Amino acid sequence: MPGIGGALNIARWTLYSSQLALEVTAHNIANANTEGYSRQKIEIEANTPIKMGPGEIGTGARATEVRRQYDDFISEQVNLKNSQYYYWQSQSEALGEIEIMFNESEEYGLNKIMGEFWNAWSDLSNNPDGTPERDALLAKSENLIQFIGELDYNLREYQRHIDAITRGSVDQINSITGQIANLNHQISSVEVKGFINANDLRDQRDKLLNQLSQYVDISYYEEESSGQVMVYILGGTPLVLGKDSYDIEAQRNATTGFTDLIWKDTSGRTVNITNKLDGGKVAGWINVRDNKIGSYIDSLNTLTQTLAWEVNSLQSEGVGLKSVSSM
């Protein structure tokens, strides 16, 4: 509309666009310290002109949509590295606790106690008939047996502790996938492509994806038509498909006594994913529980059995303090 009315209309739309820009800026400032928030930007473009002589007459500017300043590729790479980081961090923390159990130092530890045990044998070999040397050897032997027993007990207790953490993480994973599926539903209900973007809901969903990647190694993609994300583990086992989420169950393994992670779909089909995960905290905990601690316990058992066998074998060739007399 040309004339004074058109000029006023241009001013009205310009003020409205500027007001929206101020509101978006205020929203950005208010969420400057909000975890997972992506800065938003309002898109302003020239309004549809009027076609009349002597040519097209501009009608000002208008706000079209509010977009997130967000890079999908970088986010996916961050989540990938996130899984790798937490896989190694969970193992590092667990192995740090195990290192404290062994407590190898100059004043304490298995190495020192075994050294004292061998020194007692050396002292006895220099004076086989000495009662003090024999008593000292018995005392050092009891110390070694007690230390190995306590170490074995502590390792098994920590193994059960890690198993409990693994079992508890299942609820966290299922809660996150359920929330992602719910946000998928909300986003697809709200968004109108090119006009309305559910920016804050998308931020919440991306934050949940980041949290999920800390627990398990995930892959995901967004459907362009619906705006919903599909989340997978193991390359193709779904955790979230649009509005639906698939739970992981914690089941006790009758053979090992530890927790197995079982994926289950809506038809009842199950997949044991316990030893198939290769990223995230859960895979790190399982590796420490089943492989690291298991190997330490096996090594302790081998050491104890070999030591007992060799000592008993040598002991059987000796004689007591009193000579044997014939009847």
Side-chain angles (χ1 to χ4, degrees), residues 139-195:
K140 298 303 180 183
S141 299
E142 290 176 357
N143 289 343
L144 178 59
I145 293 170
Q146 182 180 359
F147 184 87
I148 292 176
E150 290 178 353
L151 186 55
D152 180 82
Y153 175 80
N154 290 335
L155 285 172
R156 294 181 188 276
E157 278 293 300
Y158 193 63
Q159 199 173 29
R160 285 188 282 270
H161 170 68
I162 291 180
D163 184 67
I165 294 176
T166 303
R167 186 167 59 252
S169 69
V170 170
D171 292 335
Q172 296 292 328
I173 293 172
N174 291 338
S175 174
I176 292 172
T177 55
Q179 291 178 69
I180 291 174
N182 182 50
L183 285 169
N184 274 343
H185 175 66
Q186 293 183 56
I187 289 170
S188 62
S189 300
V190 169
E191 287 192 336
V192 178
K193 191 171 180 63
F195 295 96

Side-chain angles (χ1 to χ4, degrees), residues 170-243:
V170 170
D171 292 335
Q172 296 292 328
I173 293 172
N174 291 338
S175 174
I176 292 172
T177 55
Q179 291 178 69
I180 291 174
N182 182 50
L183 285 169
N184 274 343
H185 175 66
Q186 293 183 56
I187 289 170
S188 62
S189 300
V190 169
E191 287 192 336
V192 178
K193 191 171 180 63
F195 295 96
I196 301 175
N197 299 317
N199 295 317
D200 293 325
L201 292 177
R202 284 176 170 271
D203 282 344
Q204 293 177 35
R205 189 176 65 183
D206 288 335
K207 181 180 177 181
L208 290 170
L209 287 170
N210 182 273
Q211 292 175 3
L212 185 61
S213 71
Q214 296 177 20
Y215 286 97
V216 289
D217 186 18
I218 60 173
S219 59
Y220 60 92
Y221 72 94
E222 179 182 326
E223 277 192 342
E224 186 175 353
S225 59
S226 65
Q228 299 178 351
V229 294
M230 313 297 163
V231 186
Y232 301 88
I233 54 173
L234 309 181
T237 302
L239 288 180
V240 179
L241 289 180
K243 304 171 186 177

Side-chain angles (χ1 to χ4, degrees), residues 25 52 59 65 73 96 99 150 245 247 256-257 272 283 313:
T25 301
M52 60 179 296
T59 58
E65 62 178 318
F73 175 77
E99 184 179 14
E150 290 178 353
S245 63
D247 285 347
T256 64
N272 190 327
S313 176

Side-chain angles (χ1 to χ4, degrees), residues 64 98 113 121 127 131 150 166 170 174-175 193 216 258-259 261 275 277 286 290 299 305:
T64 55
I98 294 172
I113 291 178
W121 275 106
N127 185 21
T131 300
E150 290 178 353
T166 303
V170 170
N174 291 338
S175 174
K193 191 171 180 63
V216 289
F258 295 128
T259 300
L261 304 183
N275 296 312
L277 300 172
I286 291 174
D290 296 345
S299 297
Q305 292 170 2

